[in-house]
Amino acid sequence: MRQNSEPFLSTVDSFAKQQSLLTFYDPSDLQHQHELILSGASSEVISTNGDAKLAVEFSPLHNISELRIQPAQPWNLSPFKQANLALDVENTGATSIQMYLSIENNQGQSRRYSVSLASDFKGTVYVPVSGKEADTDSGLWGDAPPWTTEDKMLVWRSWRSAGVELETIAALNFFTIGILEPKSVQIDNIRLRQNPPTDPNWLVNIIDQYGQNARLDTPLKVHSDEQLQQLAQQELRQLQESSGMPHRSKFGGYTNAPRREATGYFRTEKVNGKWWMVDPEGYLFFSHGPANVRMANMSTITGIDYRDPSVRVRHVDELTPEDSMGIVAVSDQVRATRYVSSELRHNMFEWLPEYSDPLADHYSYRRSTHKGPVPHGETYSFYQANLERRYGETEAKSYLKKWQEVTMQRMHDWGFTSFGNWVDPAFYAADKVPYFANGWIIGDYQTLSGETNHWGLMPDPFDPVFAQRAKSTIDAIAKDVKASPWCVGIFIDNEKSWGEREGSVNARYGVILDALSKNSQTSPAKAAFSAYLKQKYSTIEQLNSAWNSDLKDWQALDNGVVMTDYSAQHVQDLSTMLAMLGEQYFQVVHGTLAEVLPKHLYMGARMANWGMPDEIITASLKYSDVLSFNIYEEGMQEHFWQFLEKADLPVVIGEFHIGTATDSGMFNPGIVHAANQSDRARMYKDYMQSVLSKPYMVGAHWFQYIDEPISGRAFDGENANIGFVTAADIPYPELIQAVKEVTSTMYQNRVAEQGP
C-alpha cells in the first residue's frame, strides 16, 4: 500500500548558521550566578583562557540531584514562534550521564526531557520549544530528528497531550535520577535559537519494510529476507549446541547450595539473613528474565481506520485490556470501509502490505489508544511479520511456534531463570521456563481520580463490582495456570495511580479528595470514608474544628465536600483514608487469590516510584507474599530503598531497562538512557549488581523482551530501544554477553556473600 521513495537527506548541518534569539544563562555574567538553586548537587563557575563555564556535579547520595536556574523575571518566549532551546555541554565524568531537563512555566507546569551524553561528549544539545517540530504530535514518544545536524536532540519525557504552554519560562531544572556514582558536566551558553526551515520530508518514509529506521544504517539492520533467514539459521545452530548454565535445577534454582524444604511450588524463605525464593524442588531461586514476552502491544498504528463501527464494539464482561490483545482479525466487510484517518502516520511507512499479501495477516485493530493523536485504528506488527519471514510458514502460524521454541532456548542459553510479567500464555504449558501469570481487573466499577492518572483512573475497591471483576479475572488466570508448579506467582494490575509519595496534598491524596467530593449514595469509597469520619468525630462541630471547615451537618459531608486549605489533622485523616483504600484493595485481591490460587505467590502491586505512597506500601505488607516495584533508575540506591530492609519481605523488581537511541537506530532510548550498546551493557551489569547486593531482593525483570516498534506501539506511541532483540528478532550481542556474565555468576556470588 505504501510505495518506496527516496527521502530528502541534507548533508549540511542545519545549525551551521544558527541565530541566537535569547540568552537564558551565561556563566560569565555575574548576575546569572545569583539565579542558581542547588538541591543535592554542587556547582562552580570555572574559567579557562577567559572562557567561563558552569561545572556541575550531581550526587548519588540523593535520588534526585538538581540544579535549578530561576531568573528574577520569567523569560518571555511569546515573540519567538519558531525556536529551540540549546546549550553547550561537556561530560567531564568517566561514564555516560543521563541528564534531565524540565522547562517550567509560570503556572508551575513543565515539559520534561532527557538526554544521554557519552563519557567523552562535548557539543551542543537542543530541544524544539515552539514551531511545527515542537507542536506536531506524530504519535511517537521519541521523535524522529527533524533536522540534519551534529547537535544532539533531547527526548520528550512528558506527554504532548498535557498541553504545557511555554509562552514564558520561569525556571530551567537540570537533574539526575537514581544514579549510582557522581556525574559531572560543564554547561555553557544556554540560549534560544531560531529553528532551521522545516524539512518537508521530516516524517515521510522513515520506516522500512522490516519496521526499521529507513534513514540510518546500524550494525544489526536487516536488508533482505535472505539475510534474515541466514542470521536465524546461524543462531539456531548456536542454540542447539548450548548446554545452558551449570548447577541449575529443573526449575532454574541453584543446585550447588544446600537444599531447602521442597513443597512442589515456589515459595520464599529467609536464609541466614537473606531473602530467597525456593523452587518446587527446594533449591534457592533468584528470578531474573524478560517481561512482556508476547505479541500483544507489538503493533503500530498505520493511519488507516474503518467507518464501520462494528469493529469498535466492546462488551462489559471483557477481561483483557486493549493493550494486551494480540492480533485481531478484521473482516473484508469492515475493510471495505477503509479510509486514511491520519496522513501523517500513514506517510511514515515506506511499505505496508496489500490485504492480499501473505504478510497481511499481521494487520490488526485497536478500538482505543491511551495516548496520541489517533484515538483508534488499524495496526500492523512488523515484528510478527519478521518472524514469518525469518522462519517461514509450513502450517498455520508455525512461525509463532518456532518463535516460542527459540525464545525458550534463548532463556536457557542466556542464563535467565524465569519470564517476568506479561508472558504469552502459550508458554505456560511448555513446562520449560518458570513464569508469572498476570491479570488486570477491568470492568464497570466506580473509579476515583487523582491529580495525575498515569495509566487510568483508580478503581474504587469498596465497590462490590470491583470484587466481582477481581473474581472473574483471577478465575480466568487459574484456568490458564492449571495449578502448575511452573507458575511462580501472580501479578494483578500494574502501576496504579495511588498518588505521589511526596509533594502537595493534591498530589499525595488526590484519589481521597476526589472520593470526598462525591455523594455517599453513589460512591462506595465515599460512603466508607464518611462512616469513618462520623465514627472518629462524634459531632460535625468536632470535624469542623479539626479541619478548619464550616460544614453545616453530616448530610453536607455525605453530599460531597471540596476544600483547598488543609489543616494538619485534615491531612492526617486523608492519610488514614488512603491507607483504608489500600487495605480494601489488597483485601479483595489477596483474598480472591488465596481462595482460587492458594499455592501461588501474590506478587504485590507493581508500584512505580511516582506512585508508591507510604500508606499503600504499609497496606501491601500485610497481604503480599512478595513486594514488587518498577524501578526505572540507573540502579537501586542504597539510601533511597533502605526502607525495604525494615519491611522485611522479599522484593522483586517488576520492570527496569536501559536503552539507547544511537547505534540502535531507534528514535527513543527508553526511560533509562545509555550512550550506545556497549554502554547499555555496562549499565545493565551495574544495575544488576545493585540489585543482587540487597539482602531483600529475590528477582529483577527487564522490560521488555523485544524493542518497541520504532513507529510507536499502538497503545501509546512508546518506541524505545528496550529489547534484548530488535524488531527483526536479532539479539543485541553486547547486551546478551553482559547478561551471560551476570547470570553465570549471580547464584555463586549471592550465596558466597553470606552463605546459606
Side-chain angles (χ1 to χ4, degrees):
M1 292 179 185
R2 297 294 309 156
Q3 301 299 319
N4 285 306
S5 65
E6 289 297 322
F8 170 80
L9 293 175
S10 172
T11 57
V12 178
D13 193 306
S14 298
F15 290 109
K17 297 181 179 180
Q18 62 178 272
Q19 179 185 351
S20 183
L21 304 172
L22 180 69
T23 298
F24 292 112
Y25 180 81
D26 181 355
S28 64
D29 189 328
L30 294 178
Q31 179 182 345
H32 286 177
Q33 294 180 30
H34 300 292
E35 299 172 349
L36 304 181
I37 302 172
L38 295 161
S39 176
S42 60
S43 72
E44 64 172 329
V45 174
I46 59 174
S47 183
T48 305
N49 298 324
D51 182 18
K53 296 181 180 180
L54 181 65
V56 187
E57 182 168 293
F58 300 100
S59 171
L61 301 179
H62 300 264
N63 186 247
I64 297 178
S65 178
E66 183 175 60
L67 164 74
R68 179 178 176 89
I69 303 177
Q70 182 174 322
Q73 296 295 326
W75 295 292
N76 180 16
L77 270 62
S78 60
F80 311 113
K81 305 301 182 183
Q82 303 283 335
N84 65 94
L85 185 152
L87 62 142
D88 300 330
V89 60
E90 179 180 357
N91 180 3
T92 53
T95 58
S96 66
I97 176 175
Q98 178 177 354
M99 185 171 69
Y100 291 79
L101 166 64
S102 69
I103 307 176
E104 187 177 314
N105 65 19
N106 273 355
Q107 291 73 46
Q109 303 168 316
S110 62
R111 295 185 191 175
R112 191 185 253 199
Y113 309 90
S114 62
V115 66
S116 177
L117 307 176
S119 58
D120 58 351
F121 181 86
K122 183 177 183 180
T124 300
V125 300
Y126 76 98
V127 60
V129 293
S130 61
K132 182 176 181 179
E133 292 76 13
D135 299 336
T136 298
D137 188 351
S138 61
L140 305 181
W141 192 24
D143 285 330
W147 300 293
T148 301
T149 177
E150 292 296 314
D151 294 355
K152 193 173 181 66
M153 187 171 71
L154 287 92
V155 178
W156 275 83
R157 295 304 304 271
S158 49
W159 298 104
R160 284 176 175 79
S161 58
V164 175
E165 296 294 337
L166 293 180
E167 292 286 310
T168 58
I169 295 179
L172 300 174
N173 302 292
F174 296 91
F175 55 101
T176 58
I177 302 178
I179 58 177
L180 298 177
E181 59 187 347
K183 305 283 185 176
S184 58
V185 295
Q186 292 180 4
I187 294 174
D188 189 16
N189 195 16
I190 307 175
R191 61 201 182 274
L192 192 72
R193 301 187 300 189
Q194 180 72 27
N195 286 344
T198 295
D199 179 352
N201 292 300
W202 170 31
L203 293 170
V204 177
N205 292 335
I206 59 174
I207 313 299
D208 73 9
Q209 64 179 321
Y210 298 101
Q212 305 168 123
N213 189 327
R215 300 187 178 181
L216 183 68
D217 275 336
T218 57
L220 301 185
K221 187 172 182 177
V222 169
H223 297 277
S224 68
D225 289 7
E226 291 74 20
Q227 179 191 7
L228 189 58
Q229 292 159 9
Q230 182 181 11
L231 290 169
Q233 292 305 313
Q234 180 179 326
E235 185 189 13
L236 290 174
R237 287 192 294 271
Q238 183 268 320
L239 290 173
Q240 191 67 33
E241 296 170 358
S242 173
S243 58
M245 297 296 168
H247 310 301
R248 296 288 177 90
S249 73
K250 170 183 174 182
F251 293 95
Y254 187 48
T255 61
N256 217 22
R259 201 167 178 176
R260 316 302 296 180
E261 178 186 359
T263 63
Y265 286 88
F266 282 91
R267 62 182 184 86
T268 62
E269 182 179 350
K270 197 171 189 180
V271 181
N272 289 350
K274 183 176 294 186
W275 279 104
W276 288 91
M277 288 186 181
V278 179
D279 78 11
E281 296 180 323
Y283 295 106
L284 297 181
F285 182 85
F286 187 89
S287 175
H288 185 35
N292 213 37
V293 187
R294 58 179 184 170
M295 292 298 114
N297 223 357
M298 284 305 300
S299 62
T300 191
I301 294 286
T302 66
I304 297 296
D305 210 339
Y306 311 117
R307 291 189 172 86
D308 188 331
S310 66
V311 75
R312 289 178 285 279
V313 170
R314 294 179 180 274
H315 303 282
V316 296
D317 60 346
E318 291 182 9
L319 296 174
T320 305
E322 194 71 15
D323 63 314
S324 290
M325 292 184 175
I327 298 295
V328 176
V330 177
S331 69
D332 291 340
Q333 179 181 349
V334 170
R335 280 179 171 170
T337 66
R338 174 185 186 273
Y339 71 100
V340 177
S341 62
S342 172
E343 291 281 358
L344 181 69
R345 288 290 305 178
H346 198 51
N347 288 339
M348 287 184 186
F349 304 99
E350 283 188 335
W351 172 90
L352 286 168
E354 298 289 342
Y355 291 147
S356 58
D357 191 293
L359 294 177
D361 55 356
H362 308 297
Y363 279 115
S364 186
Y365 192 80
R366 286 292 168 264
R367 298 169 298 178
S368 63
T369 59
H370 182 59
K371 299 283 185 181
V374 180
H376 43 70
E378 179 186 85
T379 71
Y380 192 73
S381 175
F382 285 97
Y383 180 72
Q384 190 163 299
N386 287 335
L387 292 178
E388 183 171 350
R389 290 164 168 145
R390 186 178 173 94
Y391 299 120
E393 187 174 34
T394 55
E395 58 183 54
K397 309 296 183 185
S398 63
Y399 54 87
L400 288 180
K401 295 177 182 177
K402 187 63 178 179
W403 170 76
Q404 292 157 13
E405 175 188 321
V406 170
T407 297
M408 289 185 287
Q409 287 179 308
R410 286 171 173 169
M411 292 287 289
H412 287 290
D413 179 55
W414 298 351
F416 285 135
T417 58
S418 75
F419 292 117
N421 198 30
W422 296 313
V423 59
D424 192 314
F427 290 103
Y428 289 9
D431 292 351
K432 289 184 178 179
V433 180
Y435 64 89
F436 294 82
N438 71 88
W440 284 89
I441 304 173
I442 59 174
D444 193 21
Y445 42 69
Q446 296 294 310
T447 58
L448 302 170
S449 176
E451 182 180 62
T452 302
N453 301 298
H454 293 267
W455 298 110
L457 298 176
M458 185 69 202
D460 180 347
F462 293 96
D463 187 344
V465 177
F466 177 78
Q468 294 168 12
R469 298 303 296 163
K471 181 66 162 58
S472 297
T473 296
I474 292 168
D475 281 345
I477 295 171
K479 185 177 180 181
D480 286 339
V481 169
K482 296 181 175 61
S484 170
W486 290 88
C487 178
V488 182
I490 315 295
F491 286 110
I492 300 293
D493 290 336
N494 179 62
E495 295 186 342
K496 308 304 288 183
S497 296
W498 303 102
E500 305 288 344
R501 195 175 190 196
E502 298 176 345
S504 68
V505 173
N506 284 335
R508 287 180 289 156
Y509 302 116
V511 291
I512 306 304
L513 294 171
D514 183 49
L516 292 176
S517 74
K518 298 177 183 295
N519 191 297
S520 296
Q521 296 297 315
T522 57
S523 170
K526 171 59 180 296
F529 298 150
S530 185
Y532 158 72
L533 293 170
K534 290 174 183 177
Q535 182 181 21
K536 179 174 181 178
Y537 300 101
S538 58
T539 66
I540 195 67
E541 288 77 18
Q542 290 183 21
L543 175 65
N544 283 331
S545 176
W547 285 17
N548 293 334
S549 57
D550 57 357
L551 296 173
K552 180 181 178 182
D553 50 29
W554 288 121
Q555 187 61 49
L557 174 68
D558 286 338
N559 289 343
V561 294
V562 176
M563 298 177 64
T564 55
D565 295 318
Y566 310 100
S567 68
Q569 186 56 54
H570 190 173
V571 173
Q572 181 56 53
D573 288 338
L574 294 175
S575 174
T576 299
M577 288 183 276
L578 181 60
M580 290 171 59
L581 185 80
E583 177 90 6
Q584 179 67 16
Y585 174 89
F586 289 112
Q587 276 185 351
V588 170
V589 175
H590 174 269
T592 309
L593 280 168
E595 175 189 345
V596 179
L597 288 161
K599 296 180 179 180
H600 299 283
L601 299 171
Y602 172 38
M603 304 300 297
R606 290 174 57 86
M607 286 180 270
N609 51 1
W610 47 256
M612 55 175 204
D614 288 339
E615 296 89 345
I616 300 304
I617 294 173
T618 300
S620 71
L621 295 178
K622 188 189 305 183
Y623 298 98
S624 304
D625 296 308
V626 181
L627 300 179
S628 51
F629 296 87
N630 297 346
I631 305 178
Y632 285 110
E633 299 178 0
E634 292 191 12
M636 294 189 70
Q637 293 177 316
E638 194 76 37
H639 61 89
F640 189 72
W641 297 97
Q642 190 71 37
F643 70 92
L644 290 175
E645 287 199 35
K646 299 176 183 177
D648 199 26
L649 277 179
V651 180
V652 158
I653 293 176
E655 294 178 21
F656 80 103
H657 67 223
I658 300 112
T660 180
T662 55
D663 49 1
S664 68
M666 303 288 284
F667 302 139
N668 179 10
I671 298 176
V672 180
H673 303 359
N676 49 47
Q677 291 299 324
S678 295
D679 193 45
R680 189 182 183 213
R682 174 194 65 81
M683 291 179 67
Y684 158 81
K685 290 193 290 186
D686 288 348
Y687 190 107
M688 284 304 300
Q689 178 55 40
S690 78
V691 172
L692 290 163
S693 65
K694 306 290 187 297
Y696 48 82
M697 295 305 301
V698 296
H701 302 156
W702 173 285
F703 185 91
Q704 60 181 20
Y705 179 49
I706 310 152
D707 274 345
E708 292 173 321
I710 189 173
S711 48
R713 63 184 187 184
F715 184 59
D716 57 8
E718 284 193 14
N719 61 338
N721 165 229
I722 54 178
F724 290 114
V725 300
T726 71
D729 200 43
I730 299 171
Y732 286 97
E734 298 94 338
L735 183 57
I736 299 309
Q737 179 58 38
V739 166
K740 289 182 177 182
E741 290 175 18
V742 168
T743 59
S744 63
T745 59
M746 67 181 184
Y747 278 131
Q748 296 92 315
N749 292 344
R750 200 160 190 270
V751 167
E753 284 173 6
Q754 291 183 5

